[in-house]
Amino acid sequence: MKGITLGSLAKDIQTNSSYVSEVINTYKEQNFASYLNSLRVEYLLNKLVTDKKFRSYKLGVIPDELGYNNEQAFSIEFKKRQEPRCPLISKKSKKHKINKRELDEKNLLKSWKREVGGF
């Protein structure tokens, strides 16, 4: 996912960037950068659930793997997109420790509900 720009995507699918931007804005109701960041975060969540090797990566490697230029950019986007649904970064659950069994989102949600007393 590194190095993807609106222009490079348009070139890859043999159209112009204005058209790609319009399609993303219309059908995804986001601009290109927001859409790309949401895809990156969804990819991360999927990899954390399905890929044991990916779960062993050090935090400093993950932003690069997802195509971010630095950890801070990754952290900002991840928190912005996950705070309402992901207990790993919720202010109410900063002390929450995760184990492998809890890595699927369903178990994370159950665990978080127990910890904070529901929604």
Side-chain angles (χ1 to χ4, degrees), residues 26-37:
T26 300
Y27 292 100
K28 297 300 179 180
E29 298 178 348
Q30 315 178 59
N31 64 32
F32 175 77
S34 293
Y35 180 58
L36 181 59
N37 284 323

Side-chain angles (χ1 to χ4, degrees), residues 16-110:
N16 64 60
S17 57
S18 296
Y19 180 73
V20 173
S21 179
E22 183 180 332
V23 169
I24 292 170
N25 290 336
T26 300
Y27 292 100
K28 297 300 179 180
E29 298 178 348
Q30 315 178 59
N31 64 32
F32 175 77
S34 293
Y35 180 58
L36 181 59
N37 284 323
S38 67
L39 289 175
R40 287 172 169 160
V41 171
E42 288 301 316
Y43 175 81
L44 168 65
L45 294 174
N46 183 54
K47 292 294 272 185
L48 288 173
V49 171
T50 62
D51 188 338
K52 186 175 181 177
K53 182 179 177 189
F54 194 87
R55 288 192 300 264
S56 70
Y57 287 2
K58 300 232 182 266
L59 185 57
V61 173
I62 292 174
D64 187 60
E65 181 77 17
L66 298 176
Y68 288 97
N69 292 326
N70 59 59
E71 275 185 53
Q72 184 178 11
F74 161 72
S75 179
I76 289 168
E77 286 302 321
F78 184 80
K79 287 178 182 178
K80 180 170 45 171
R81 294 172 193 291
Q82 295 306 309
E83 191 130 13
R85 84 177 223 215
C86 185
L88 294 175
I89 58 158
S90 169
K91 289 177 184 173
K92 291 183 180 179
S93 63
K94 284 200 180 213
K95 293 180 183 175
H96 180 78
K97 295 202 181 193
I98 187 165
N99 62 39
K100 290 179 184 178
R101 181 182 58 78
E102 294 177 311
L103 279 174
D104 75 15
E105 206 166 344
K106 184 177 179 182
N107 285 334
L108 285 171
L109 188 55
K110 284 180 185 176

